[in-house]
Amino acid sequence: MKDEIVLNGIVLSSGLQGEYDRRLVILTREQGKITAFAKGVRRPSSQLISKTQLFVMGAFTVYPGRNAYTLINVDAKEYFHELTFDVNKYCYGSYFCEMMSYFTREGDRSADYLNLLFVSLNALKKGLLPVKLIRCVYELKIMDIFGQGLQSFHCPICGSDRLTRIFDPLSGGILCENCRSKAKKSIHISEDARYVLQYINGAMLGNLYNFTVSDSVLEELMMIAKEFLAVYVDRKFNSVEIIESLS
């Protein structure tokens, strides 16, 4: 048996496995996304059942197997209980985790991904911003970290910083005056929306949710995020359908 190791992360999914076990997908700082099996965790005597739920953040003691890890212990730091008490927040949090699982792989460098997920779940927990705004910010920032961010400081075609207010999702961002005629799909956005996009792209993760917007700008951001993801993400997330059914 290989030596036990401790990995710091957040549970992205937790499903039943057999009669007493759970299969966890955990985003870890050290090893990226991993699969771990918590054996016997659903027995009445187990002390790990509450620590192997969705959203739990902590230090996971595991030992490696051929294709997965076996969970030994969890030192939980945060449970995000507030999300489980609110159907709306729970669905958005589930979406964040499902999307994160799509973007991450085992062995990837995951510190930025993990920090983004933490601050986003924490924003949902605090409830100071509309959940739809948190969703827009999360979607745009995860694309930025992934390396396919929406270009809001420089024209994605020529690199000029003399930008218009023409957003072209197919080109990858906001176009300059010289390139606006090359837009494959021209979408006019407000100056406020452009400023918010630049803030999201440039903000440190700890300051990502330190702003709010008007209803009209929020509608623009929702449209922009939806159009942008439609081009670069080739998957329909199950949790999105649930969110839309609640709207």
Side-chain angles (χ1 to χ4, degrees), residues 173-221:
I174 303 174
L175 305 184
C176 69
E177 188 64 42
N178 291 335
C179 295
R180 62 183 299 171
S181 61
K182 302 176 184 178
K184 301 171 184 177
K185 185 174 185 179
S186 294
I187 300 175
H188 292 260
I189 63 174
S190 68
E191 186 68 25
D192 286 344
R194 186 177 71 173
Y195 175 80
V196 173
L197 292 174
Q198 291 175 336
Y199 179 85
I200 294 170
N201 283 145
M204 300 292 288
L205 293 178
N207 297 323
L208 195 56
Y209 297 104
N210 288 350
F211 72 98
T212 188
V213 296
S214 66
D215 291 343
S216 61
V217 172
L218 177 55
E219 289 295 327
E220 285 188 90
L221 292 177

Side-chain angles (χ1 to χ4, degrees), residues 55-205:
F55 308 136
V56 169
M57 178 179 181
F60 298 82
T61 302
V62 299
Y63 69 80
R66 178 173 297 179
N67 299 311
Y69 293 80
T70 297
L71 183 71
I72 304 301
N73 191 38
V74 182
D75 180 11
K77 308 296 184 184
E78 174 62 75
Y79 290 88
F80 291 105
H81 286 310
E82 293 83 355
L83 306 188
T84 64
F85 299 149
D86 184 305
V87 173
N88 207 33
K89 291 181 179 180
Y90 182 87
C91 290
Y92 275 87
S94 297
Y95 169 55
F96 294 173
C97 289
E98 186 182 3
M99 193 177 193
M100 186 62 72
S101 186
Y102 171 82
F103 277 100
T104 52
R105 301 288 183 272
E106 185 168 351
D108 285 352
R109 296 177 60 184
S110 297
D112 286 344
Y113 285 117
L114 187 63
N115 290 339
L116 172 61
L117 182 57
F118 170 73
V119 299
S120 300
L121 293 178
N122 204 42
L124 286 176
K125 169 186 170 181
K126 290 180 178 179
L128 300 178
L129 297 179
V131 290
K132 291 181 179 180
L133 176 57
I134 298 172
R135 173 184 173 177
C136 290
V137 175
Y138 180 82
E139 290 173 335
L140 293 169
K141 196 64 175 182
I142 198 172
M143 294 297 293
D144 190 39
I145 294 174
F146 182 65
Q148 191 62 65
L150 188 156
Q151 298 299 307
S152 61
F153 288 102
H154 297 90
C155 175
I157 296 177
C158 72
S160 171
D161 60 0
R162 302 182 66 180
L163 301 180
T164 63
R165 291 190 283 112
I166 300 297
F167 165 61
D168 178 12
L170 295 172
S171 296
I174 303 174
L175 305 184
C176 69
E177 188 64 42
N178 291 335
C179 295
R180 62 183 299 171
S181 61
K182 302 176 184 178
K184 301 171 184 177
K185 185 174 185 179
S186 294
I187 300 175
H188 292 260
I189 63 174
S190 68
E191 186 68 25
D192 286 344
R194 186 177 71 173
Y195 175 80
V196 173
L197 292 174
Q198 291 175 336
Y199 179 85
I200 294 170
N201 283 145
M204 300 292 288
L205 293 178

